Amino acid sequence: MKKIAIIGGGIVGSTAAYYLSQFDKKNEIQVTMYDDGVGQATKAAAGIISPWLSKRRNKKWYNLARDGATLLAKIAKNTNMNKDIYNQCGTIITRDSPKKLNELYQKAIERNKETKTIGDVYQLDAEEVKYQIPLLSKSVPGILVTGGARIDGAKFAEHLKDIAKLKNLTIINKKVSINNRGKIQLGDDELAYDNIVVATGAWMRNTLDNLPLKVDIRPQKGQLIEISVNDLEQNKKNMPVLMPEGERDFIPFNDGRLIVGATHENDQGFDLKPSNEVIDDLLASANRLVSGLNQDNLIKIKVGTRAYTSDFAPFFGSIPNYSNIFVGGGLGSSGLTTGPLIGKLLANLILKNKKIDLEQYRKPINNYIQSNL
């Protein structure tokens, strides 16, 4: 019996657990997940899956995000995922000038040639954007890609863990670390596993603190607000998500909720307290596109901590000098898109299932985790 531990039950850990349960055809794997859930970015995340028109120039990141979006659609189909978890409702990205809009459209056409997950591509005028999202009191022209999706990170992770628990996953809601012998430390108990996956996001440095390693991880605070739009006559079902130029992302859900955000705050450390100033800013952004919203529409505030690296690129693989310990982190704001593919790749690496060209997706892990020995 192969014993595997996963530390962290967010987007990477939950997907790794799911694939370890799917790859276990002969009941030869036992998986234990340790997760205290504090500050987890996935639990606070409702996001947009639409990487194809990103301004980022990192080719390896784009490959990871592009194939991550394709994998997400496959997971949703294969696991009969409800649309309140993952919904391929389309994404509209707006631009404030005809030149910028045409450049974006041409980029979308080119990206459509290399991946069909992007779906159909349409150039919309302001009235057509408003037709797609009637909530908008102000709209500008944009590009619609029908393959874009919205995702509820917390529900996604729970859905996959529930499937894995039916096969070979046990979850322990306690905080653990790696001790100086490379074992799991749970209180006074040292626990040995054949392989360990560390997927603790911004807390990875703390998890690995007892090992002689230098870890390039820093926290970034993210806040978003959830607004009720049930009382607006313009509300309709299955609206696309919106990435408006110069404003926060808008994610409308079918049950009359609108998510606005999230922020990217680099100087707040691990602070998980909502900020009134930020909430006012998010509400003001919402009001610039949907008039009439105020504090009475506010349902809840979500706060999480993302993990970033110094060059804003994610990393994954086995740790230098500790070949049985695997990590996946530094995902930043693209975690809901890239995390599932990283989780699957880690499961493959542990079980040596497939020969995959990992270098198309990552820079050397030594760029982010270095031995101090």
Side-chain angles (χ1 to χ4, degrees):
M1 177 72 71
K2 190 178 183 70
K3 294 175 63 178
I4 300 171
I6 299 174
I7 309 177
I11 196 75
V12 173
S14 62
T15 313
Y18 166 72
Y19 276 105
L20 287 169
S21 75
Q22 300 303 294
F23 295 154
D24 184 13
K25 302 301 182 183
K26 299 180 181 179
N27 297 316
E28 296 177 343
I29 306 171
Q30 182 183 50
V31 183
T32 304
M33 177 181 287
Y34 297 94
D35 180 32
D36 66 353
V38 176
Q40 187 185 100
T42 302
K43 286 189 174 181
I48 296 173
I49 308 301
S50 190
W52 310 285
L53 304 183
S54 171
K55 296 178 181 179
R56 293 178 67 165
R57 296 181 180 180
N58 183 334
K59 181 64 175 176
K60 292 179 184 289
W61 173 87
Y62 176 70
N63 291 342
L64 186 68
R66 176 199 63 203
D67 293 352
T70 299
L71 180 66
L72 272 166
K74 183 178 179 180
I75 292 173
K77 181 179 179 181
N78 290 347
T79 65
N80 298 312
M81 197 170 283
N82 293 331
K83 286 192 174 183
D84 66 330
I85 303 176
Y86 175 89
N87 187 351
Q88 209 163 55
C89 55
T91 303
I92 294 176
I93 305 170
T94 66
R95 291 292 182 265
D96 58 10
S97 77
K99 181 181 178 181
K100 290 181 181 179
L101 189 68
N102 185 61
E103 289 173 350
L104 189 68
Y105 180 70
Q106 295 304 320
K107 186 174 184 178
I109 295 298
E110 286 300 312
R111 289 283 166 83
N112 180 260
K113 295 176 182 177
E114 65 183 44
T115 176
K116 295 304 178 184
T117 311
I118 191 174
D120 297 323
V121 178
Y122 300 98
Q123 188 167 332
L124 308 179
D125 61 27
E127 289 186 4
E128 289 170 327
V129 170
K130 182 173 173 55
Y131 175 79
Q132 292 289 333
I133 309 177
L135 290 174
L136 300 176
S137 50
K138 175 186 177 183
S139 61
V140 296
I143 303 299
L144 169 65
V145 292
T146 60
R150 63 172 177 257
I151 183 172
D152 185 308
K155 290 181 178 179
F156 178 88
E158 290 305 313
H159 178 73
L160 295 192
K161 286 184 284 190
D162 285 343
I163 294 173
K165 282 191 290 186
L166 297 174
K167 179 70 175 179
N168 61 7
L169 175 66
T170 300
I171 299 177
I172 298 175
N173 297 120
K174 292 185 179 180
K175 184 176 181 178
V176 298
S177 61
I178 307 292
N179 65 22
N180 58 8
R181 289 160 45 84
K183 310 293 185 182
I184 295 281
Q185 193 69 41
L186 174 60
D188 294 329
D189 297 326
E190 179 184 273
L191 308 173
Y193 290 88
D194 297 295
N195 296 106
I196 300 171
V197 176
V198 178
T200 48
W203 285 265
M204 184 181 292
R205 184 182 297 172
N206 303 68
T207 308
L208 300 173
D209 192 47
N210 293 314
L211 298 180
L213 300 169
K214 180 181 178 182
V215 183
D216 178 14
I217 282 283
R218 59 182 174 85
Q220 183 188 72
K221 185 176 181 178
Q223 301 182 66
L224 56 78
I225 58 174
E226 188 175 306
I227 302 170
S228 171
V229 290
N230 264 325
D231 57 340
L232 297 182
E233 293 181 2
Q234 301 93 333
N235 193 14
K236 77 169 188 177
K237 299 293 184 183
N238 213 39
M239 289 177 280
V241 294
L242 178 66
M243 302 175 74
E245 187 171 32
E247 298 292 351
R248 306 293 186 179
D249 289 343
F250 276 49
I251 308 172
F253 284 79
N254 291 347
D255 57 1
R257 293 179 298 131
L258 173 65
I259 300 290
V260 182
T263 60
H264 299 75
E265 302 166 58
N266 294 324
D267 57 350
Q268 299 298 307
F270 291 94
D271 175 38
L272 293 172
K273 295 178 181 177
S275 163
N276 290 331
E277 182 179 351
V278 170
I279 294 165
D280 289 343
D281 175 71
L282 291 170
L283 197 55
S285 181
N287 246 313
R288 284 190 286 272
L289 294 179
V290 183
S291 61
L293 298 176
N294 54 50
Q295 289 282 346
D296 293 336
N297 296 95
L298 195 60
I299 300 174
K300 69 173 65 171
I301 303 151
K302 292 185 177 182
V303 185
T305 306
R306 306 183 192 93
Y308 268 90
T309 58
S310 57
D311 65 355
F312 298 95
F315 61 88
F316 64 93
S318 60
I319 294 179
N321 299 330
Y322 298 91
S323 60
N324 71 315
I325 303 178
F326 294 80
V327 296
L331 280 62
S333 57
S334 67
L336 294 178
T337 304
T338 60
L341 181 52
I342 288 176
K344 181 181 181 181
L345 292 172
L346 290 175
N348 273 309
L349 281 170
I350 289 170
L351 300 181
K352 300 179 175 62
N353 274 356
K354 293 181 180 180
K355 184 68 175 178
I356 302 172
D357 176 18
L358 299 177
E359 308 321 309
Q360 66 179 310
Y361 297 128
R362 65 178 185 179
K363 298 177 183 178
I365 196 166
N366 288 336
N367 289 12
Y368 309 99
I369 299 184
Q370 300 172 353
S371 174
N372 283 333
L373 292 177

